[in-house]
Amino acid sequence: MRALTYRTFYRLPGRWRRRIVRTFQPTYTIGAVAVVRDPQLTRILLLRQPPGAGWSLPAGLMDRGETPVQCAARELAEETGIKLPPERMRAANPNAIVHTRGQWVDMVFETEVEPGVELVVDSAEVIEAAWHRLDNLPPLTVSTSQLLAHYAIGPYKDYPEVREA
């Protein structure tokens, strides 16, 4: 029965197969995150966004036709005024953080920037942007704390179960 189902499925036109797969498989939203540190790796750039309950990282959803690294560079520029070419961003390790409960994937990129660079925030999206010492971080959003734990940063860095969630 299973073999017959597969044979039938692969005889269908490609667009029908895609529609069937998209109907029955979970879908994920793809976003890109920029982890921006100073060259000495002692400070990190964080944003306070509405409603302002905690600090987060420059991030956003990919536009159609955009690559994850282009998205990370675009979001960094839109939210902080820091314009970097995508070539200045490198894939973090791990590069993809899959959030199965919320069904989204964060593609994470790292870069270094001198803290003296002028920050120009988009007031529609960002209340404040500031550099923070890694050993004295402000209150972070839960999702930011969980993401940074993958890179041994923040309040959850010593909790391996957070990285596995």
Side-chain angles (χ1 to χ4, degrees), residues 31-51:
V33 179
V35 177
V36 183
R37 295 190 237 189
D38 66 335
Q40 294 75 32
L41 305 177
T42 59
R43 293 191 276 180
I44 189 168
L45 180 63
L46 296 172
L47 310 175
R48 200 163 54 86
Q49 297 177 291

Side-chain angles (χ1 to χ4, degrees), residues 142-153:
V142 171
S143 60
T144 298
S145 295
Q146 290 173 337
L147 186 137
L148 287 175
H150 289 274
Y151 309 102
I153 299 171

